[in-house]
């Protein structure tokens, strides 16, 4: 059990930085997910914690002790890869027991720990099987069992369920999370899949181009993204982002989408809030998730007429493309609410779910209505 | 633009039957999605229509004409693959020109330029025309691949998982673009995928294929709300539909005696009253209501935050059920909660065959 601290960690290949000034604290027993697109530096970060990759500057501390000088084997960390590196000629039991064979543990202790690990992974009935006879999900369970049996201070996982099919991934997400709660091992988990990150993490650390973008709970990063990258990386369907401007109105603030494509009435306090931030009133990127675009079939005060374009029926709900002039915004409606493409409906943006970013920096202006 | 019909098409590879008496009809200007797991026979179907394979039995017709003896070129269909088949050292314009420069076509340069300009505008790649294709991003390359199909103005577009190599965000974007494109062109699309979200979001019609057989053809809503069997029920929708083995008697379904018993007297528009004995009950996660008024007690086995909502795994003895709840609901793992089912949304499947007991009856009174 351990806390892991990364302090000003940097890593270069020639002139290219892989990780830039990374500061991250992973608390004792926490489940932290490193999330980002391929090439963002998340795997390099994980490998640096494991001691499989040297860093150029900064410190990595485990339980308060710098570990750069330590060999990977001495860091007392277990690593689970996407590809289940198991010994094909050994049974599941022997694969799990393998890391303990090198220690001086008694036969009884080894047996007890293997069975404990197998029980929490629900693979007790598979212990006599060889890897060749196991399914993908079971193989990964055995690989995780082998990592857990050592009772490492921390468990590091690199896309451990990335190679499994969609249904099995869904199942394994819940299981891995339960396993974490039972084992209480500090866990760092790398993935490019935001659904995995949202559904498993205590906190998510989002990276892009080697730079940490935001660290927060799933709810925080979903509801209060710090910048446009996070806003559009988290959540599916993607958050709508439209360039726009604000103008003071009589009794309200006029929110203008695009090149005067639509004017929406927002609370009066919005305009002074933006002026207060010394931010240019026409350099706004306006973000709103599909569930923040409210749709009505009848004319409703505060709503503007829009034309429905493509309707994607996803089962429990529909995603409807709405034309606010030349700007297309996607809305989430109940199934069948908008009957067909070409229909005119009424829409507004839910002010509590509307985000304001700077078009220059991409950073959030931290305005909450 | 064309109407494609397959009748009793069988295709064997050695002793393996890839397709078995397949009937399929794709109407003019329709966006038809063939959905199924790996190995279902989707790509084989596409290749048969394209003329890259010949069937062992059955007929394939385009616009009412049997095309079995026609070569791939004569059928005038365009294929777009998962991997972009572009010439890397040529510009986008040269790549788009190539299919038009064939001697058979004898197309004037003026006509070629006009078609390329039109396709480039439709796909929003006008600014890329003079760029070499190895300098393009994945999404741009796939747009150019589609452009190569568009310029030919084929009778049918055949697409084999064209988006599966792209990242999630780009896939979402191109999904909408492809649907938009198909509507604008008014073209006939046959689109093959294993991704149910793609199928649901793009298809006018979805055909679900499994082990070389068509299981069900319908609109996305029909496939989702009235699945033919447990295969379709669990393949379409995420999270997958919950299935429970139950015993029905006297308008009650017993899943876990004393702990998970569900009244079904109002389910299926009253049809469930006809049911008795062992059945497989199906319920979608959004049709489970978690709240203090629930009649069933469960433990919270897992909670997945999905931003707009949460998916909770509920446990009653060994029975695990997924429920969709509002994001603001706080549920601790291993705490106790109550839930109930939207009775009218329960689905009944034969415990043996998995076939929907009321398939084809929906829409008729009740």
């Amino acid at each position: 059990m351990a806390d892991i601290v990364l302090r000003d960690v940097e890593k270069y290949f020639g002139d290219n930085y892989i990780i830039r000034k990374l500061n991250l604290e992973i608390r004792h027993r926490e489940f932290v997910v490193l999330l980002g697109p391929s090439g963002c530096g998340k795997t390099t970060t994980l490998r640096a914690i494991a001691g499989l990759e040297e860093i150029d500057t900064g410190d990595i501390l485990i339980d308060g002790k710098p570990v750069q000088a330590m060999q990977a084997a001495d860091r007392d960390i277990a690593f689970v890869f996407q590809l289940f590196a198991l010994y094909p000629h050994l049974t599941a039991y022997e694969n799990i027991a393998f890391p303990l064979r090198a220690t001086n543990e008694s036969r009884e202790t080894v047996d007890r720990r293997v069975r404990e690990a197998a029980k929490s992974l629900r693979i007790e009935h598979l212990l006599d099987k060889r890897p060749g006879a196991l399914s993908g999900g079971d193989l990964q369970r055995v690989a995780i069992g082998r990592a857990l049996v050592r009772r490492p201070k921390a468990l590091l996982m690199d896309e451990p369920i990335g190679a499994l099919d969609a249904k099995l991934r869904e199942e394994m997400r819940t299981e891995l999370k339960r396993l974490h709660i039972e084992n209480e091992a500090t866990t760092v988990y790398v993935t490019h899949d935001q659904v995995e990150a949202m559904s498993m993490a205590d906190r998510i650390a989002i990276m892009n181009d080697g730079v940490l973008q935001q660290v927060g709970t799933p709810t925080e990063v979903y509801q209060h993204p710090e910048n446009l990258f996070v806003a559009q990386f988290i959540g599916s369907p993607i958050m709508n982002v439209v360039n726009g401007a604000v103008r003071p109105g009589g009794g309200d603030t006029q929110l203008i989408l695009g090149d005067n494509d639509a004017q929406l009435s927002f609370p009066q306090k919005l305009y002074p809030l933006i002026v207060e931030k010394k931010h240019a009133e026409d350099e706004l990127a306006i973000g709103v998730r599909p569930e923040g675009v409210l749709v009505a079939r009848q004319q409703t005060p505060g709503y503007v007429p829009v034309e429905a374009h493509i309707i994607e029926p996803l089962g429990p709900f529909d995603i409807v493309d709405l034309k606010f002039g030349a700007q297309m915004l996607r809305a989430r409606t109940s199934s069948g609410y908008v009957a067909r493409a070409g229909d005119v409906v009424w829409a507004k943006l839910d002010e509590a779910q509307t985000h304001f970013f700077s078009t220059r920096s991409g950073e959030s202006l931290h305005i909450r209505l | 633009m064309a109407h494609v019909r397959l009748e009793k098409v069988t295709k064997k590879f050695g002793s393996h039957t890839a397709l078995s008496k397949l009937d399929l009809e794709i109407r003019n200007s329709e966006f038809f999605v063939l959905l199924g797991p790996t190995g279902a026979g989707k790509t084989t179907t596409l290749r048969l229509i394209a003329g890259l394979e010949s069937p062992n039995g059955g007929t394939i017709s385009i616009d009412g004409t049997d095309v079995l003896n026609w070569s791939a070129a004569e059928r005038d269909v365009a294929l777009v693959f998962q991997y972009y088949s572009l010439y890397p050292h040529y510009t986008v314009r040269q790549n788009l020109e190539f299919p038009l420069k064939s001697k058979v076509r004898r197309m004037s340069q003026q006509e070629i330029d006009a078609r390329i300009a039109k396709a480039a505008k439709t796909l929003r790649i006008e600014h890329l025309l003079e760029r070499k294709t190895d300098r393009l991003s994945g999404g741009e390359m796939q747009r150019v691949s589609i452009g190569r199909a568009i310029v030919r103005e084929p009778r049918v577009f055949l697409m084999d998982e064209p988006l599966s190599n792209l990242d999630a965000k780009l896939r979402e974007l191109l999904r909408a673009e492809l649907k938009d494109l198909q509507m604008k062109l008014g073209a006939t699309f046959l689109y093959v995928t294993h991704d149910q979200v793609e199928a649901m979001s793009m298809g006018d019609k979805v055909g679900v294929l499994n082990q070389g057989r068509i299981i069900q053809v319908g609109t996305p809503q029909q496939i989702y709300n009235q699945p033919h069997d447990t295969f379709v029920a669990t393949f379409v929708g995420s999270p997958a539909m919950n299935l429970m083995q139950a015993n029905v008697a006297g308008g009650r379904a017993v899943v876990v005696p004393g702990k998970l018993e569900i009244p079904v007297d109002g389910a299926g528009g009253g049809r469930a009253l006809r049911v008795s004995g062992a059945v497989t009950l199906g319920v979608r996660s959004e049709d489970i209501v978690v709240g203090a008024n629930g009649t069933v007690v469960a433990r919270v086995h897992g909670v997945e935050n999905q931003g707009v909502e949460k998916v909770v795994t509920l446990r009653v003895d060994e029975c695990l059920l997924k429920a969709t709840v509002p994001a603001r609901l706080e549920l601790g793992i291993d705490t106790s909660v109550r839930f109930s089912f939207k009775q009218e949304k329960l689905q009944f499947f034969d415990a043996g065959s998995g076939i929907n007991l009321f398939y084809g009856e929906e829409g008729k009174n009740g």
Side-chain angles (χ1 to χ4, degrees), chain A residues 271-302:
Chain A
Y271 184 78
L273 277 173
I274 284 169
V275 174
E276 212 172 274
K277 304 258 177 194
K278 299 202 167 21
H279 193 273
E281 57 188 59
D282 52 3
E283 290 180 356
L284 296 174
I286 294 148
V288 62
R289 296 197 185 279
E291 66 268 25
V293 180
L294 309 182
V295 184
R297 279 189 287 223
Q298 295 87 30
Q299 183 167 1
T300 308

Side-chain angles (χ1 to χ4, degrees), chain A residues 38-290:
Chain A
S38 51
C40 75
K42 56 190 191 299
T43 295
T44 309
T45 305
L46 194 75
R47 292 174 58 85
I49 297 171
L52 300 173
E53 196 89 60
E54 279 184 28
I55 56 172
D56 292 313
T57 57
D59 285 308
I60 297 176
L61 301 100
I62 298 180
D63 278 342
K65 290 186 211 91
V67 295
Q68 280 95 300
M70 272 188 212
Q71 296 284 320
D74 299 330
R75 294 190 186 190
D76 195 12
I77 277 173
F79 209 106
V80 180
F81 299 91
Q82 178 171 5
L83 301 169
F84 348 97
L86 297 177
Y87 299 105
H89 59 292
L90 297 181
T91 61
Y93 184 99
E94 282 305 322
N95 265 290
I96 296 173
F98 194 82
L100 296 178
R101 296 291 186 209
T103 65
N104 289 325
E105 300 288 356
S106 71
R107 187 177 285 267
E108 290 75 31
T109 311
V110 171
D111 186 64
R112 183 168 43 80
R113 300 225 331 232
V114 170
R115 292 192 186 281
E116 273 173 19
K119 188 171 177 227
S120 65
L121 289 158
R122 297 197 278 148
I123 49 170
E124 293 156 289
H125 58 296
L126 301 175
L127 286 175
D128 296 333
K129 295 219 160 86
R130 290 209 167 81
L134 299 176
S135 68
D138 290 335
L139 285 172
Q140 196 56 289
R141 287 192 184 95
V142 174
I144 294 165
R146 191 169 60 179
L148 286 175
V149 76
R150 281 170 42 201
R151 298 191 181 151
K153 283 186 185 170
L155 191 56
L156 308 184
M157 301 204 238
D158 190 4
E159 310 239 4
I161 58 175
L164 308 179
D165 68 43
K167 226 155 134 185
L168 199 54
R169 272 209 308 274
E170 223 173 74
E171 217 175 275
M172 289 290 283
R173 287 201 305 252
T174 308
E175 283 190 32
L176 281 177
K177 180 73 186 178
R178 281 196 70 84
L179 195 68
H180 167 73
I181 292 169
E182 282 164 23
N183 280 273
E184 305 185 317
T186 306
T187 303
V188 189
Y189 185 108
V190 158
T191 182
H192 67 277
D193 180 348
Q194 61 95 17
V195 178
E196 269 177 38
M198 288 291 287
S199 54
M200 293 197 290
D202 293 322
R203 287 191 305 151
I204 305 175
I206 300 147
M207 294 181 72
N208 188 31
D209 281 340
V211 180
L212 186 64
Q213 305 287 314
Q214 185 172 358
V215 185
T217 64
T219 305
E220 280 164 6
V221 297
Y222 188 82
Q223 292 183 354
H224 305 298
E226 285 287 334
N227 58 42
L228 282 172
F229 178 80
V230 175
Q232 295 206 290
F233 199 77
I234 298 275
S236 173
I238 324 168
M239 182 189 281
N240 297 294
V241 174
V242 180
N243 286 345
V246 285
R247 302 275 181 265
D252 67 356
T253 299
Q254 286 286 309
L255 182 70
I256 295 155
L257 298 184
D259 194 14
N260 214 5
D261 287 296
Q263 293 92 42
L264 304 168
S265 178
F266 264 64
Q268 192 167 23
K269 66 179 179 185
L270 173 61
Y271 184 78
L273 277 173
I274 284 169
V275 174
E276 212 172 274
K277 304 258 177 194
K278 299 202 167 21
H279 193 273
E281 57 188 59
D282 52 3
E283 290 180 356
L284 296 174
I286 294 148
V288 62
R289 296 197 185 279

Side-chain angles (χ1 to χ4, degrees), chain A residues 122 167 170-171 173-175 177-178 181 195 198-200 218-219 222-223 228-229 232-233 235-239 291 309-318 321 330 332 335-336 341, chain B residues 169-170 172-173 175-177 179-180 183 196-197 200-203 220-221 224-225 234-235 238-240 286 300-310 313 315 320 322 327 333-334:
Chain A
R122 297 197 278 148
K167 226 155 134 185
E170 223 173 74
E171 217 175 275
R173 287 201 305 252
T174 308
E175 283 190 32
K177 180 73 186 178
R178 281 196 70 84
I181 292 169
V195 178
M198 288 291 287
S199 54
M200 293 197 290
T219 305
Y222 188 82
Q223 292 183 354
L228 282 172
F229 178 80
Q232 295 206 290
F233 199 77
S236 173
I238 324 168
M239 182 189 281
E291 66 268 25
H309 188 46
I310 290 169
I311 301 170
E312 298 189 353
L314 292 180
F317 58 89
D318 291 351
D321 287 6
R330 319 187 84 199
R332 179 183 159 121
S335 180
Chain B
K169 194 168 152 182
L170 203 52
E172 201 179 290
L173 198 75
R175 224 162 66 196
E177 278 188 23
K179 177 75 191 167
D180 187 47
M183 283 163 63
Q196 58 96 16
V197 175
M200 294 282 288
S201 59
M202 293 194 290
Q221 290 87 349
Y224 189 80
N225 295 321
T234 52
F235 196 73
S238 172
E286 66 268 24
V300 176
H301 185 72
V303 180
E304 298 187 31
N305 192 330
Q306 298 196 342
V308 60
E309 55 204 10
K310 284 177 182 156
T313 309
R315 180 170 191 155
L320 293 176
K322 294 209 173 194
I333 287 185
D334 282 338

